[in-house]
């Protein structure tokens, strides 16, 4: 019974940690998305102004390129805005954070019961089974789930904890791998827009080499 309760406490702690991480990752993506979309919109307007002011003659290669770029940026901005709106990153982050809070409270409850058990107070198996069912119920309350990378990042951040030690008592995740996992987890929320930034900046730079 004691080992089962310890395992249940560790599972609740691990799940809560992963969902806290998922909430932070999604909030970072939402922030990066908001800033990027605002700047993409500014670029679209700026290209139109540059074309209007500096295009000496209509129909040149440079004028046509800026026209195509301005239209492409507008369509691109509309598509990405709809995709990000449909992803509902902010709503997912809030739901995962609330669920992580509930799991943390449950973990403290299990730790208290485990402390009572270790001090000699009796606990019946039906009570332990009720806690397991409660844990499963709390997890199902959230319609979203964390990604495996969120769980890996949590284990990497807590790699020195006894719960994540190998058979030899040493951490299962090395310090170097923990740093790599953190980098992957951080970039997972921004690489999508980073590629768009590279493409848009590249398209803008190309205009400097087009004859006017």
């Amino acid at each position: 019974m004691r080992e089962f309760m310890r395992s249940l406490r560790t599972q609740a702690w691990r799940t809560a940690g992963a969902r806290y991480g998922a909430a932070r990752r999604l909030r970072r993506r939402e922030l990066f998305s908001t800033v990027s979309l605002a700047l993409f919109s500014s670029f679209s307007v700026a290209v139109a102004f540059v074309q209007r002011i500096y295009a000496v003659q209509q129909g040149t290669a440079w004028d046509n390129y800026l026209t195509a770029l301005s239209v492409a940026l507008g369509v691109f901005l509309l598509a990405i805005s709809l995709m990000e709106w449909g992803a509902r990153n902010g709503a997912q982050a809030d739901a995962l954070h609330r669920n992580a809070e509930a799991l943390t409270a449950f973990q403290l409850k299990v730790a208290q019961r485990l402390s009572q058990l270790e001090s000699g107070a009796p606990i019946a198996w039906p009570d332990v089974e009720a806690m397991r069912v409660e844990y499963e119920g709390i997890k199902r309350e959230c319609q979203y789930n964390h990604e495996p990378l969120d769980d890996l990042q949590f284990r990497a951040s807590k790699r020195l904890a006894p719960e994540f030690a190998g058979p030899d008592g040493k951490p299962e995740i090395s310090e170097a791998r923990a740093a790599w996992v953190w980098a992957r987890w951080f970039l997972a929320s921004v690489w999508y827009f980073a590629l768009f930034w590279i493409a848009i900046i590249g398209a803008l730079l190309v205009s400097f080499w087009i004859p006017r």
Side-chain angles (χ1 to χ4, degrees):
M1 179 184 294
R2 185 174 302 174
E3 290 302 318
F4 178 82
M5 291 184 65
R6 285 176 178 169
S7 176
L8 184 61
R9 181 187 62 181
T10 300
Q11 289 181 34
W13 176 53
R14 181 173 169 177
T15 305
R19 294 192 171 182
Y20 276 128
R24 290 195 299 272
R25 175 176 55 79
L26 289 169
R27 287 198 180 106
R28 187 184 305 115
R29 170 164 177 153
E30 184 182 37
L31 175 62
F32 201 76
S33 168
T34 301
V35 173
S36 296
L37 290 175
L39 291 177
F40 291 162
S41 179
S42 300
F43 286 159
S44 179
V45 175
V47 168
F49 270 101
V50 168
Q51 180 185 14
R52 177 68 180 82
I53 295 173
Y54 293 101
V56 178
Q57 185 178 358
Q58 294 183 350
T60 62
W62 189 69
D63 181 65
N64 291 337
Y65 180 80
L66 290 184
T67 299
L69 182 59
S70 179
V71 173
L73 281 175
V75 174
F76 168 79
L77 180 63
L78 176 61
I80 296 302
S81 299
L82 290 174
M83 290 171 59
E84 288 301 303
W85 177 81
R88 302 182 63 202
N89 293 314
Q92 290 188 50
D94 290 340
L96 286 165
H97 182 82
R98 287 195 301 270
N99 193 250
E101 291 286 297
L103 286 168
T104 299
F106 173 78
Q107 175 209 338
L108 294 175
K109 175 182 176 181
V110 175
Q112 182 182 22
R113 295 293 182 86
L114 184 59
S115 178
Q116 293 174 356
L117 180 63
E118 292 175 345
S119 66
I123 297 180
W125 268 110
D127 294 335
V128 176
E129 175 64 15
M131 285 191 289
R132 185 194 67 79
V133 173
E134 182 181 357
Y135 167 66
E136 297 295 336
I138 293 174
K139 284 200 305 180
R140 286 194 298 268
E141 285 177 359
C142 183
Q143 60 178 317
Y144 308 108
N145 195 11
H146 57 270
E147 297 292 335
L149 183 59
D150 298 313
D151 177 63
L152 180 60
Q153 192 276 333
F154 176 73
R155 289 191 290 116
S157 67
K158 303 295 183 182
R159 66 186 192 86
L160 298 179
E163 291 84 353
F164 302 135
D168 56 356
K170 297 181 179 180
E172 292 182 337
I173 300 177
S174 66
E175 186 175 358
R177 190 188 174 204
W180 169 242
V181 168
W182 182 89
R184 284 178 54 202
W185 174 77
F186 182 85
L187 292 174
S189 57
V190 300
W191 72 267
Y192 181 69
F193 277 95
L195 292 179
F196 292 149
W197 272 106
I198 293 173
I200 290 176
I201 292 175
L204 292 174
L205 291 176
V206 167
S207 65
F208 289 100
W209 282 271
I210 296 178
R212 300 188 185 185

